[in-house]
Amino acid sequence: MTDEIQQRLQQVLHSQPSRRWLVGFSGGLDSTVLLHALQSQVGGQAVMAVHVNHGLSANADTWQAHCQAQCQSLGVHWVVEKVQLTGSGAIEERARKARLAVFAKLMDPGDGLLLAHHRQDQAETVLFRLLRGAGVTGLGAMRWSRPFAAGHIKRPLLGVDRAALQAYAERHKLSWVEDESNTDTTFDRNYLRRTILPALRKRWPLADQNLALAAQHCQEADLLLQELAQLDLSTLAERQEPMGVSVALEPLLGLSESRRRNLLRHWLRSRLGETVGAQLLADIQSQLLCGQNGHAQVGNKNLLLGCFQQRLYALSAPLQWQPSAQVAAPEPTIAWQQPEQVLLLPGGDYLQWVDAQADTSRALWGRALARKHMGRNIVVDWRRGGERCRPAGRGHSQGLKKLLQEQPLPIWLRARVPLIYIDNELAAVGDLWVCEAFAAAADEPAANLKWEFPCVTLDAV
């Protein structure tokens, strides 16, 4: 059984060589075996043990000292990070996220992170997620390899029985710590580990192997569903949008309901990093795709979805800033004192003047401001109500509300359109119009205004 651990570790080391291997090192049996086996194969110089001290146990500092001593005896570089758990929710999940944040911070491009999860951990994860109603992706449980931060995560012991780890530790006379919280069955995972899984093993001795095998089947099915989703996505005229992405509604509605849900799960996860549940998918269908409310929006703290001009938009919710419309506390204006420099706006979008003759992205007429005006007092403001503009080339002025309705500009962006005032007179409406009095003639120096947003790249994973 000892050979099995070394062989699986060798497979990982050779399948995707890394500049440096980080090991999540709690000091428990599993990570102790992994660190020892890794050091015996690659030496200590290419290894960094990372110990995360959550401070949840009275023994936390004792465990930290134990880990330091173990690393020193192995000649392995080690790092300790003390964290404080924040937010709400299950303490196990918050601790997991805190550890991953530490690992991500420490990883450099080309690094590999090794975690010591074994077969029983995988079986426990499958059962835990099954009881929470997970779909195919969730039931795939832990992957033995996946991209992470600047490198990748590997779990070389995922197919190894815990008895093999125990035998390895005893053979090499290793010492490890025991977390007393592992016996507390008020935690869901501990209840599964100490009560449910032992009962299953008595009736079905191969329960761990078969649950892990089921996870492999789900992972394969999930890959096939992702391939189908990618094929469907290629037919939806996907495009990048300010702060997000969008797809065409008509071909999306032409998919069967199951394929549509599969496509939406894949699209939102791959583009915006958001795993969506059944309720949000149901809200998208009932509130956005039914065609009854063109102004409806759904989402959560990370994600905002809405429809506009026959397209479904998926946007980053944290970037959905709106200027204050309160009479008592209106959005303050911004003095653009150095117009030759980029001006960052409160929502993360920004403004920039570019030479009109060199800007081939738009026509000069009606878009360019005469440079002779740029040495005057320039202020950026937002709509307060009642503003009017006579766009260059038009015979009369119009209210901004009516003008904006002419544009293919989503309704959630209209309040954010920056208004450029020069000596207290409206000179430009975002990068949409330049007012007649400030427009450049065809033969005079001119500048185009660019209004840009943070973007989501279409090749995001």
Side-chain angles (χ1 to χ4, degrees):
M1 288 192 293
T2 301
D3 290 342
E4 180 187 12
I5 293 173
Q6 295 289 1
Q7 288 171 4
R8 288 181 179 270
L9 190 54
Q10 286 174 5
Q11 290 174 1
V12 167
L13 297 177
H14 291 116
S15 66
Q16 193 171 2
S18 294
R19 184 184 64 85
R20 181 180 61 165
W21 292 102
L22 281 67
V23 177
F25 186 43
S26 67
L29 170 66
D30 312 337
S31 60
T32 297
V33 169
L34 177 59
L35 183 63
H36 184 275
L38 179 65
Q39 189 275 343
S40 68
Q41 291 205 28
V42 302
Q45 295 302 311
V47 179
M48 181 171 74
V50 182
H51 179 77
V52 180
N53 185 337
H54 302 92
L56 297 175
S57 169
N59 297 314
D61 291 338
T62 301
W63 299 338
Q64 178 180 318
H66 169 86
C67 290
Q68 181 177 8
Q70 292 293 307
C71 292
Q72 289 174 345
S73 67
L74 292 171
V76 170
H77 178 61
W78 93 299
V79 172
V80 61
E81 289 274 349
K82 291 190 175 183
V83 298
Q84 289 186 335
L85 303 187
T86 58
S88 58
I91 193 169
E92 298 163 293
E93 180 62 15
R94 287 187 286 139
R96 185 187 72 86
K97 289 181 177 179
R99 288 193 299 274
L100 290 177
V102 169
F103 297 147
K105 180 182 71 172
L106 295 174
M107 290 184 72
D108 293 328
D111 283 351
L113 171 63
L114 298 183
L115 300 179
H117 299 106
H118 49 74
R119 181 186 293 162
Q120 278 79 5
D121 292 328
Q122 183 74 316
E124 173 190 310
T125 301
V126 173
L127 194 56
F128 179 69
R129 294 185 178 179
L130 179 64
L131 292 170
R132 297 180 67 182
V136 170
T137 301
L139 294 178
M142 295 180 284
R143 273 59 174 171
W144 84 273
S145 176
R146 69 176 178 89
F148 176 74
H152 51 272
I153 284 178
K154 300 286 187 182
R155 294 182 174 91
L157 307 181
L158 202 55
V160 178
D161 193 276
R162 191 178 188 278
L165 305 183
Q166 183 86 31
Y168 182 100
E170 293 173 354
R171 175 184 174 87
H172 292 277
K173 298 181 173 56
L174 304 181
S175 61
W176 60 91
V177 300
E178 295 286 354
D179 186 342
E180 72 280 356
S181 70
N182 287 337
T183 63
D184 185 354
T185 54
T186 60
F187 293 119
D188 291 340
R189 284 185 175 270
N190 287 347
Y191 181 74
L192 290 174
R193 185 181 306 134
R194 292 187 165 269
T195 305
I196 302 301
L197 279 166
L200 291 176
R201 291 177 192 125
K202 287 182 180 179
R203 182 65 180 257
W204 295 282
L206 298 180
D208 292 322
Q209 293 93 318
N210 288 337
L211 285 168
L213 182 61
Q216 292 181 23
H217 294 328
C218 288
Q219 288 178 21
E220 183 176 348
D222 188 43
L223 288 174
L224 292 174
L225 289 173
Q226 289 183 48
E227 289 181 12
L228 176 61
Q230 195 59 44
L231 286 173
D232 287 339
L233 186 58
S234 68
T235 70
L236 300 187
E238 183 187 23
R239 73 186 186 202
Q240 195 168 18
E241 304 288 353
M243 303 170 292
V245 287
S246 73
V247 291
L249 272 176
E250 184 176 354
L252 177 64
L253 293 173
L255 298 174
S256 69
E257 189 171 340
S258 295
R259 285 180 70 163
R260 193 184 309 139
R261 286 197 300 267
N262 180 59
L263 178 281
L264 290 171
R265 278 192 293 263
H266 171 77
W267 184 51
L268 298 174
R269 183 173 65 242
S270 64
R271 298 318 192 218
L272 292 167
E274 187 71 5
T275 300
V276 297
Q279 184 57 57
L280 183 54
L281 289 173
D283 291 343
I284 294 172
Q285 175 62 37
S286 63
Q287 299 183 45
L288 301 183
L289 303 184
C290 64
Q292 296 179 359
N293 186 355
H295 293 265
Q297 295 180 347
V298 301
N300 55 34
K301 66 178 182 179
N302 299 316
L303 185 66
L304 180 71
L305 294 108
C307 291
F308 180 73
Q309 293 192 345
Q310 296 304 305
R311 297 188 69 84
L312 175 66
Y313 286 72
L315 309 170
S316 169
L319 296 177
Q320 298 307 305
W321 174 83
Q322 295 286 294
S324 173
Q326 297 180 17
V327 176
E331 194 67 38
T333 60
I334 301 176
W336 198 348
Q337 297 176 339
Q338 297 177 299
E340 71 279 1
Q341 296 184 3
V342 173
L343 181 67
L344 182 66
L345 300 178
D349 42 334
Y350 60 91
L351 297 172
Q352 182 180 18
W353 293 105
V354 296
D355 183 73
Q357 282 74 15
D359 182 13
T360 59
S361 65
R362 67 194 72 196
L364 175 64
W365 178 251
R367 302 279 188 167
L369 183 136
R371 282 193 176 274
K372 64 186 179 185
H373 300 297
M374 294 180 64
R376 296 154 63 186
N377 180 38
I378 302 178
V379 171
V380 178
D381 199 358
W382 290 269
R383 292 170 60 193
R384 312 285 183 180
E387 296 89 354
R388 298 181 66 84
C389 170
R390 179 187 172 188
R394 297 198 186 186
H396 58 86
S397 68
Q398 290 179 281
L400 285 192
K401 181 177 180 180
K402 184 173 181 59
L403 282 172
L404 289 171
Q405 289 173 348
E406 299 176 3
Q407 292 292 312
L409 189 71
I411 54 176
W412 51 85
L413 287 181
R414 292 177 187 174
R416 289 182 66 161
V417 176
L419 307 181
I420 313 303
Y421 286 85
I422 297 180
D423 287 347
N424 298 318
E425 186 177 351
L426 182 61
V429 180
D431 55 2
L432 303 174
W433 301 283
V434 169
C435 297
E436 177 68 36
F438 296 87
D443 59 350
E444 70 176 318
N448 285 330
L449 183 66
K450 285 197 172 183
W451 179 32
E452 303 286 352
F453 290 83
C455 291
V456 174
T457 57
L458 294 185
D459 58 353
V461 176

